[in-house]
Amino acid sequence: MEDNVTLIGFMGAGKTTVGQRLAERLSRRFVDVDEVIESRAGMSVAEIFAAEGERGFRRREADAVRDICRAGGQVIAAGGGTVMDRDSLARLRRSGAVVWLRGDMDELLARAAAQSQRPRPLLKRPRAEIERLHAQRERVYGLADYVVDVTSKTPDDVAAEVERVIQGLDRPARVTVPVRLSERSYDVHVGPGLLDEAGELCCAAGARGKGLIVSNETVGSLYGGWLQRSLSLAGLRVPRVDVPDGEEFKTLDTARRVWRAAVSHRLDRRSFIIALGGGVVGDLAGFAAATFLRGVDFIQVPTTLLAQVDAAVGGKVGVNLDEGKNLVGAFHQPRVVIADVDTLRSLPGRELAAGLAEVIKYGFIADPDLLQFVEDRLERLLAGDPAALLRVVARSCDIKAAIVAADERETRGLREALNFGHTIGHALEAAGGYAQLLHGEAVAVGMVGAAMLSARTGGLPAGDVKRLVALLQRAGLPTAPPEVDEEELLALIRRYKKALDHRARFVLLEEPGRWVVRDDIPEELVLEIMREQRSVWATTS
Ligand SMILES: NC(=O)c1ccc[n+]([C@@H]2O[C@H](COP(=O)([O-])OP(=O)(O)OC[C@H]3O[C@@H](n4cnc5c(N)ncnc54)[C@H](O)[C@@H]3O)[C@@H](O)[C@H]2O)c1
Ligand SMILES: [Zn+2]
């Protein structure tokens, strides 16, 4: 069956007009969800609202979507609220591409009001309510496969643009996520092809003159020359130092190599250091930047999914000691983060899946819409589809940015949500000598443990535990811990640096999107849950 194309967006975005033009261009059938509802009901939308209320209308809408999605090869214009129903959104996504026609709210409202042939029940609501509704809907629209801006464009132009993005002729547009930290604020740019723009983006963020790229042998040889070209075109002179690849090199010795390279290249107080690589390079280079000459500017160019969705945002930098991970470090926010999703194409599949574990974490602690997107688009994500990756990276950065802005230095307890799955995860990583499980894999196992603990102690519905396990398994991530020495594991959990007074702290869920921290979980229960994990959920790795 040929894929459908569904246009979504707020009222006034032009879904119907653009949809008709697009259908002509593509020689496809055009279907308008509202029209299907009206012709079936023999009433107008306004009449249905009056007779049956919004709930009656939404029920008819969900029925219409179910039937429309039985056919393929159509251009579908959804109603403004159609995709607020999770099942309808999942159906539309499964049947093809979803495109958000985005526009400025005031312009859209003006356009909607001008289209008087079409009654708009929602327009009658008070302004504050419309704004709330708009914000709520944008959270969902923002997880469309493609976004096309309609501001001051004709329907024909928009239709042509939609055609190009869905056919892959135009690159999906970049998304910029602001991290708001007053004078330390910065932007996270997420998009394809950003390495080519890195020079301009660095200059726009205040980089001048001399810098130093820190990368590793793997990433440096893939993308180092590329980044250097882009920087030199922008007038920046930036030599590169490649450190050895691996977590075992995130040490003071390697930091010393970076400091010495900085000296030999004559960096000064106004110079900057750019990290090009995964979380290891980011943490190390950031630490070197935080300490060299008491701190120079720092720029992140993350190239793993884990670094793009997590490590590169938030300003935590540091190195490991023999005694434990990340024991020495600083808070040093970057000036800009440049996440080029095209670099993920060369990332090994196992690393990609490990990064997805952190995305699934965000879904469970903060964002059911993101969770559903990952469920609906998992195959594309695992296949490295840049449009799908762009959406999850941008949304993950959005969530992390909000948490970091509210609790920059982890003093208010909000940033702790990010540790969901990490209490057990860190212990498992350490127990395996950091060689057995990747960080994201350990977090996957830890999230299952935390979810089962939540179900046992706080009433997380069993269905949500199953949902988590099913998703992780589909992603090829482990869901049960390897056999480990239980005493050693408990000791590691107690020693986890986030444990205050050596009482293990667990981030538990009451429901997806609602979390609590508990430090009173009996150790025996933790062990019991992990044994249960082993016997119930077969390991997939
Ligand atoms: N600062 C933070 O807030 C924070 C948050 C989470 C994790 N971290 C840290 O991040 C580190 C883990 O980061 P990671 O998972 O990115 O691992 P990593 O940096 O070791 O990268 C994983 C592997 O992928 C390779 N690689 C990177 N980009 C590639 C690309 N585009 N193509 C091909 N290969 C590529 C790397 O060379 C490496 O071998 C840990 O040290 C962890 O402590 C920090
Ligand atoms: Zn993590």
Side-chain angles (χ1 to χ4, degrees):
M1 197 163 81
E2 203 190 343
D3 279 358
N4 289 318
V5 179
T6 301
L7 304 180
I8 65 170
F10 208 56
M11 59 183 139
K15 300 177 290 287
T16 302
T17 325
V18 171
Q20 284 162 340
R21 307 284 161 86
L22 181 67
E24 278 163 32
R25 300 181 76 96
L26 301 172
S27 310
R28 285 165 170 237
R29 206 161 75 86
F30 172 69
V31 185
D32 185 294
V33 173
D34 279 352
E35 254 171 43
V36 171
I37 300 169
E38 288 182 334
S39 79
R40 283 182 174 187
M43 289 190 271
S44 70
V45 170
E47 285 164 349
I48 299 173
F49 261 76
E52 304 172 7
E54 182 169 355
R55 287 189 53 192
F57 175 77
R58 297 291 172 211
R59 209 162 29 239
R60 289 175 177 276
E61 189 174 44
D63 289 344
V65 168
R66 184 173 335 106
D67 294 339
I68 292 169
C69 288
R70 288 185 221 265
Q74 316 165 96
V75 172
I76 304 168
T82 309
V83 293
M84 302 308 286
D85 177 70
R86 286 178 193 286
D87 291 336
S88 296
L89 176 57
R91 282 203 176 85
L92 291 165
R93 269 199 193 125
R94 275 198 297 272
S95 89
V98 177
V99 184
W100 174 24
L101 304 185
R102 180 181 56 197
D104 166 71
M105 189 184 89
D106 288 314
E107 185 179 324
L108 297 186
L109 289 178
R111 286 201 208 179
Q115 296 165 334
S116 50
Q117 78 279 17
R118 190 142 203 197
R120 307 273 188 181
L122 295 180
L123 267 184
K124 300 205 181 76
R125 299 190 187 175
R127 167 86 190 187
E129 200 179 316
I130 295 180
E131 273 173 16
R132 211 167 31 243
L133 187 81
H134 180 257
Q136 212 176 45
R137 289 196 177 166
E138 286 215 320
R139 292 289 295 170
V140 177
Y141 299 158
L143 288 167
D145 298 302
Y146 304 99
V147 184
V148 170
D149 204 292
V150 302
T151 312
S152 343
K153 288 180 193 155
T154 67
D156 280 314
D157 289 344
V158 176
E161 214 173 297
V162 173
E163 182 181 1
R164 285 197 306 273
V165 286
I166 59 176
Q167 291 178 343
L169 300 175
D170 271 4
R171 285 174 159 171
R174 171 205 315 166
V175 176
T176 299
V177 178
V179 184
R180 296 195 170 87
L181 293 165
S182 48
E183 76 281 3
R184 288 181 305 288
S185 295
Y186 54 96
D187 282 335
V188 181
H189 301 285
V190 186
L194 290 189
L195 276 186
D196 290 327
E197 293 176 46
E200 286 160 47
L201 294 171
C202 289
C203 288
R208 297 278 176 276
K210 223 178 295 170
L212 177 69
I213 296 174
V214 179
S215 191
N216 70 22
E217 289 148 354
T218 313
V219 183
S221 61
L222 284 168
Y223 303 110
W226 200 335
L227 178 60
Q228 281 173 298
R229 253 191 315 283
S230 168
L231 295 167
S232 85
L233 282 174
L236 301 170
R237 271 211 352 272
V238 189
R240 184 175 103 223
V241 54
D242 287 346
V243 301
D245 187 356
E247 179 78 41
E248 66 272 33
F249 297 103
K250 200 174 102 178
T251 58
L252 279 174
D253 275 339
T254 316
R256 183 177 298 113
R257 280 183 60 171
V258 176
W259 291 323
R260 299 180 76 168
V263 173
S264 76
H265 289 294
R266 300 171 186 280
L267 263 59
D268 59 34
R269 293 289 305 269
R270 288 155 307 169
S271 305
F272 55 97
I273 287 179
I274 303 185
L276 171 69
V280 167
V281 164
D283 281 11
L284 174 84
F287 176 70
T291 43
F292 184 66
L293 302 178
R294 297 197 182 78
V296 296
D297 279 354
F298 173 47
I299 289 167
Q300 287 269 24
V301 184
T303 63
T304 63
L305 184 58
L306 184 120
Q308 294 189 353
V309 301
D310 187 358
V313 178
K316 281 193 184 177
V317 297
V319 296
N320 304 329
L321 297 182
D322 291 338
E323 287 76 6
K325 265 188 70 167
N326 301 327
L327 287 181
V328 176
F331 285 95
H332 192 55
Q333 299 291 348
R335 291 285 171 194
V336 62
V337 179
I338 302 167
D340 184 340
V341 293
D342 286 343
T343 62
L344 302 177
R345 287 202 184 133
S346 55
L347 191 66
R350 190 176 164 199
E351 296 284 352
L352 194 73
L356 270 181
E358 300 279 5
V359 177
I360 294 168
K361 175 191 81 179
Y362 290 129
F364 270 93
I365 58 171
D367 192 345
D369 298 320
L370 175 62
L371 182 60
Q372 192 189 334
F373 182 86
V374 175
E375 289 174 328
D376 293 344
R377 289 286 181 249
L378 187 63
E379 282 68 31
R380 287 204 204 173
L381 290 165
L382 292 171
D385 178 298
L389 286 166
L390 189 156
R391 298 266 84 80
V392 301
V393 173
R395 184 61 149 249
S396 299
C397 289
D398 208 31
I399 296 167
K400 179 132 188 205
I403 293 175
V404 168
D407 187 14
E408 184 181 4
R409 289 178 173 247
E410 205 165 339
T411 47
R412 301 202 182 127
L414 295 169
R415 205 165 166 160
E416 206 168 358
L418 299 171
N419 293 336
F420 176 56
H422 281 60
T423 310
I424 293 174
H426 272 286
L428 287 171
E429 255 185 302
Y434 301 97
Q436 221 172 0
L437 293 172
L438 296 177
H439 174 72
E441 292 170 340
V443 168
V445 176
M447 285 193 291
V448 176
M452 289 169 74
L453 277 173
S454 308
R456 192 73 78 83
T457 60
L460 179 72
D464 288 316
V465 182
K466 287 210 180 99
R467 186 178 178 192
L468 171 65
V469 171
L471 183 55
L472 295 172
Q473 289 186 336
R474 276 176 65 206
L477 287 160
T479 49
E483 293 290 343
V484 281
D485 183 294
E486 293 188 337
E487 274 314 309
E488 186 196 343
L489 195 80
L490 287 181
L492 285 164
I493 287 179
R494 275 181 231 123
R495 214 173 60 199
Y496 178 37
K497 72 173 161 45
K498 274 136 198 165
L500 306 170
D501 311 326
H502 293 262
R503 286 160 74 93
R505 292 168 73 79
F506 287 88
V507 176
L508 300 185
L509 295 173
E510 290 172 337
E511 62 180 343
R514 287 235 327 262
W515 54 276
V516 285
V517 174
R518 294 276 299 266
D519 66 355
D520 58 349
I521 304 293
E523 294 185 334
E524 191 41 48
L525 181 59
V526 177
L527 293 179
E528 189 188 317
I529 291 282
M530 291 178 72
R531 285 183 219 120
E532 196 180 320
Q533 256 178 290
R534 255 183 237 116
S535 69
V536 181
W537 318 113
T539 359
T540 51
S541 65

